[in-house]
């Protein structure tokens, strides 16, 4: 095998490299033109073609985003790969056989729609390619560039970028040994929310055949009115007119700083009268239900049968919210009154909701209870609602607990990622997973994702309202049936 494999794409040849394991890697391939200049705040445009083989042996630029403060609580827990440059609408491909016809998996990264990239080392697709999958990771527009909207022009540019990447996969992946007729899109957190939105978007129909949503479901969208509230405040912070044209004139570092300040203001005063829908989850930039590109809230459209032809796997981690409470020390500042107020705000029965969670967790602190309730409100129940709405959906739970922060971090948000990618040896994840994470959990989870992408069957029965079956991944993985039924039943008001 040549050490410099070349593949012909619709826009020109790309030259990759071969790893020591024999996997072929192609990095930084543009799937759309740079979203700058006349392309700023416009739908993704095709990239310019090239004549000589394009070097694809290094990751390309990433979407503009704020750096993680080196002295902040998440410095060691938020692996980042930030590369400056305009051509950041690019993707990366890992494959074992250019002449094959393997299942394709396309990963959409998370990061609250304001951070992340497809070039984080933990998303390396070597193990997926080794095990018979062509793996693709992508970048897309973040923050204001991806999700700012004042009601005019085209909204949801970040989602349109994802659709452009999936279109590139459909048109080009056969040259990399992938089957364009067997594509699974999967994502984590904001990436999972994106996947559930894509499932219901008319312009994405037919571009993928299976979908996996990790720690995100079909409830995270905002209205046009909320988008305008966010946009108007961002413009005020920048001292410019509330238009995309005016914001496009602002230097990118200043825009990123204003986005960060905006998020801090929302967190400090999460009032619906100030922020509309984003007061619920504190994310100022999210998919917008504009009525056309995203015709309605994804969970409602899925319940109406949209996307029924796509097979779905969805799940959550047992203690998602601990990522946001433990590193900051906020868990120790929570009082019983805060727990009670949060339970009511989230829709639990006023008296017996928090009481049931407390009774089921003898010795739990108020912070522990808030974490459990918030995890279920924002992650677990929405995942079950989607499974109930989409017949044939498979459900999982990731329950292995991290040893970090004195064993307090638990099975928190994003902890499943190194297990899904079978990249436990990636040093960037060491602060998360410790020095001796259980390989058997990665073996089981990685295989389930590949099996689902190959056949639609991850290895356990689908979830139904009559048989609430899920797979719990832990040191000893096992199937559960209607786990925590008493707590699930409390959430009858959660749509």
């Amino acid at each position: 095998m040549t050490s410099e494999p070349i593949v012909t794409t619709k826009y020109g040849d790309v030259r990759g490299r071969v790893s020591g394991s024999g996997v072929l890697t192609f990095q930084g391939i543009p799937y759309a033109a740079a979203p700058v200049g006349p392309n700023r705040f416009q739908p993704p445009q095709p990239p310019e073609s090239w004549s000589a083989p394009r070097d694809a042996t290094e990751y390309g630029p990433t979407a503009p985003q704020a750096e993680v403060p080196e002295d902040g609580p998440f410095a060691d827990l938020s692996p980042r790969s930030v590369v400056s440059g305009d051509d950041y609408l690019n993707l990366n491909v890992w494959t074992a056989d250019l002449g094959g016809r393997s299942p394709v998996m396309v990963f959409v990264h998370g990061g609250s729609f304001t951070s992340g990239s497809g070039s984080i080392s933990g998303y390396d697709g070597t193990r997926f390619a080794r095990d018979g999958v062509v793996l693709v990771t992508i970048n897309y527009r973040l923050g204001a560039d991806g999700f700012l909207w004042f009601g005019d022009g085209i909204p949801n540019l970040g989602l349109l970028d994802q659709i452009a990447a999936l279109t590139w996969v459909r048109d080009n992946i056969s040259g990399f040994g992938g089957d364009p007729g067997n594509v699974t899109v999967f994502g984590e957190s904001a990436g999972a929310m994106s996947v559930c939105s894509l499932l219901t978007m008319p312009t994405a129909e037919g571009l993928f055949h299976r979908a996996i949503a990790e720690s995100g479901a079909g409830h995270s969208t905002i209205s046009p009115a909320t988008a305008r509230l966010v946009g108007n405040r961002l413009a005020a912070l920048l001292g410019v007119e509330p238009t995309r044209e005016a914001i496009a004139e602002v230097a990118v570092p200043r825009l990123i700083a204003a986005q960060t300040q905006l998020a801090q203001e929302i967190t400090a005063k999460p009032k619906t009268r100030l922020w509309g829908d984003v007061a619920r989850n504190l994310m100022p930039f999210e998919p917008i239900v504009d009525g056309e590109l995203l015709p309605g809230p994804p969970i409602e459209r899925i319940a109406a049968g949209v996307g029924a032809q796509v097979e779905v796997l969805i799940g959550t981690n047992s203690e998602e919210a601990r990522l946001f409470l433990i590193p900051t020390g906020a868990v120790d500042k929570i009082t019983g009154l805060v727990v009670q107020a949060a339970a009511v705000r989230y829709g639990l029965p006023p008296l017996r909701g928090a009481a049931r969670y407390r009774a089921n967790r003898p010795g739990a602190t108020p912070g522990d209870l808030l974490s459990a309730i918030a995890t279920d409100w924002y992650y677990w129940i929405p995942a079950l609602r989607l499974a109930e709405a989409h017949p044939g959906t498979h459900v999982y739970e990731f329950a292995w607990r991290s040893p970090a922060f004195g064993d307090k971090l638990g099975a928190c948000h994003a902890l499943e990622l190194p297990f899904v990618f079978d990249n436990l040896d990636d040093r960037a994840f060491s602060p998360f997973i410790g020095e001796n994470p259980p390989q058997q959990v990665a073996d089981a989870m990685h295989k389930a994702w590949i099996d689902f992408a190959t056949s639609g069957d991850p290895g356990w029965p689908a979830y139904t309202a009559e048989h609430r079956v899920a797979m719990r991944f832990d040191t000893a993985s096992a199937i559960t049936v209607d786990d925590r039924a008493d707590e699930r039943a409390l959430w009858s008001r959660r749509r």
Side-chain angles (χ1 to χ4, degrees):
M1 180 183 298
T2 176
S3 60
E4 294 188 338
I6 293 179
V7 171
T8 298
T9 76
K10 183 178 179 180
Y11 303 104
D13 291 350
V14 292
R15 181 178 61 252
R17 57 184 171 82
V18 182
S19 68
S21 60
V23 169
L24 289 71
T25 304
F26 300 82
Q27 297 168 311
I29 305 172
Y31 67 82
V36 297
N39 293 332
R40 187 87 180 272
F41 292 119
Q42 296 298 320
Q45 302 299 311
E48 290 187 11
S49 299
W50 55 88
S51 54
R54 184 186 184 104
D55 182 74
T57 59
E58 294 184 356
Y59 287 119
T62 56
Q65 57 196 274
E67 296 278 0
V68 177
E70 293 184 1
D71 58 348
F74 299 103
D76 293 330
L77 298 177
S78 300
R80 293 281 182 96
S81 173
V82 180
V83 180
S84 61
D86 293 338
D87 263 323
Y88 62 82
L89 296 184
N90 61 64
L91 51 76
N92 315 292
V93 182
W94 288 263
T95 182
D97 181 8
L98 296 179
R101 196 167 177 82
S102 300
V104 180
M105 298 185 72
V106 180
F107 181 66
V108 183
H109 69 79
S112 301
F113 296 104
T114 57
S115 67
S117 75
S119 56
I120 292 173
S121 59
Y123 304 156
D124 182 287
T126 297
R127 272 66 182 262
F128 273 112
R130 173 201 65 189
D131 297 329
V133 166
V134 175
L135 194 283
V136 180
T137 65
I138 69 172
N139 296 335
Y140 54 96
R141 275 175 280 188
L142 303 171
D145 275 82
F147 298 94
L148 177 71
W149 195 49
F150 293 100
D152 57 336
I154 307 298
N156 294 313
L157 299 177
L159 292 178
L160 292 181
D161 292 342
Q162 296 169 16
I163 291 172
L166 288 166
T167 301
W168 184 98
V169 167
R170 181 197 63 192
D171 295 343
N172 296 281
I173 205 65
S174 60
F176 296 84
D179 180 2
N182 186 5
V183 175
T184 297
V185 62
F186 71 121
E188 183 268 342
S189 192
M193 300 167 194
S194 295
V195 166
C196 294
S197 293
L198 293 172
L199 185 63
T200 70
M201 295 178 70
T203 49
E205 187 174 352
L207 292 176
F208 57 94
H209 313 89
R210 300 187 177 97
I212 304 175
E214 303 172 29
S215 304
H219 295 68
S220 296
T221 57
I222 61 176
S223 68
T226 291
R228 284 191 288 271
L229 284 174
V230 170
N232 288 341
R233 181 54 184 158
L234 181 65
L237 289 172
L238 292 168
V240 301
E241 291 296 315
T243 66
R244 280 173 161 178
E245 292 76 14
I247 288 175
E249 296 298 319
V250 175
V252 170
R254 186 164 164 248
L255 175 59
I256 297 297
Q259 289 180 185
T260 301
Q261 182 178 345
L262 175 66
Q264 292 169 345
E265 289 185 356
I266 294 170
T267 301
K269 287 187 177 182
K271 305 293 186 181
T272 302
R273 62 180 175 80
L274 295 175
W275 306 112
D277 302 329
V278 300
R280 297 173 304 179
N281 60 17
L282 312 182
M283 291 195 303
F285 299 104
E286 303 175 60
I288 302 157
V289 178
D290 65 293
E292 295 184 19
L293 284 171
L294 192 57
I299 187 61
E300 295 179 9
R301 286 176 57 76
I302 290 168
V306 176
Q309 74 282 5
V310 177
E311 296 171 305
V312 174
L313 167 62
I314 192 169
T316 60
N317 298 352
S318 302
E319 300 167 295
E320 301 266 9
R322 295 185 79 82
L323 177 64
F324 313 107
L325 295 173
I326 297 297
T328 62
V331 70
D332 298 321
K333 301 174 184 178
I334 305 302
T335 66
L337 287 176
V338 170
V339 174
Q340 187 65 42
V344 172
R345 181 177 182 227
Y346 294 158
L348 283 175
L351 296 178
R352 60 190 178 91
R356 170 50 53 192
Y357 273 79
R358 188 178 299 110
N360 286 352
R361 294 163 179 79
T365 67
D368 294 333
L369 295 176
L370 179 63
S371 173
I373 292 170
T375 292
D376 290 356
W377 167 71
Y378 193 61
Y379 297 99
W380 185 51
I381 293 302
L384 296 188
R385 293 291 182 263
L386 190 145
E388 293 163 356
H390 190 281
T393 295
H394 292 81
V395 172
Y396 77 88
E397 175 189 3
F398 178 82
W400 181 77
R401 305 189 82 246
S402 167
F405 291 88
D407 294 327
K408 292 181 180 179
L409 194 59
C412 69
H413 190 63
L415 185 64
E416 88 288 354
L417 284 168
F419 295 87
V420 167
F421 281 83
D422 193 13
N423 285 337
L424 301 184
D425 55 351
D426 186 279
R427 300 304 300 176
F429 283 123
S430 293
F432 240 168
I433 61 179
E435 295 300 320
N436 295 293
Q439 182 62 45
Q440 70 267 30
V441 180
D443 291 343
M445 213 168 185
H446 182 70
K447 181 179 185 299
W449 265 232
I450 291 174
D451 287 349
F452 179 77
T454 302
S455 67
D457 181 2
W460 64 91
Y463 183 100
T464 68
E466 294 75 29
H467 301 285
R468 300 177 181 274
V469 176
M471 173 61 76
R472 175 183 288 143
F473 291 103
D474 203 341
T475 309
S477 298
I479 291 175
T480 64
V481 180
D482 205 5
D483 185 43
R484 297 196 291 127
D486 57 341
E487 292 177 358
R488 174 189 56 76
L490 292 169
W491 295 94
S492 60
R493 291 191 291 168
R494 181 68 160 111
R495 63 181 175 89

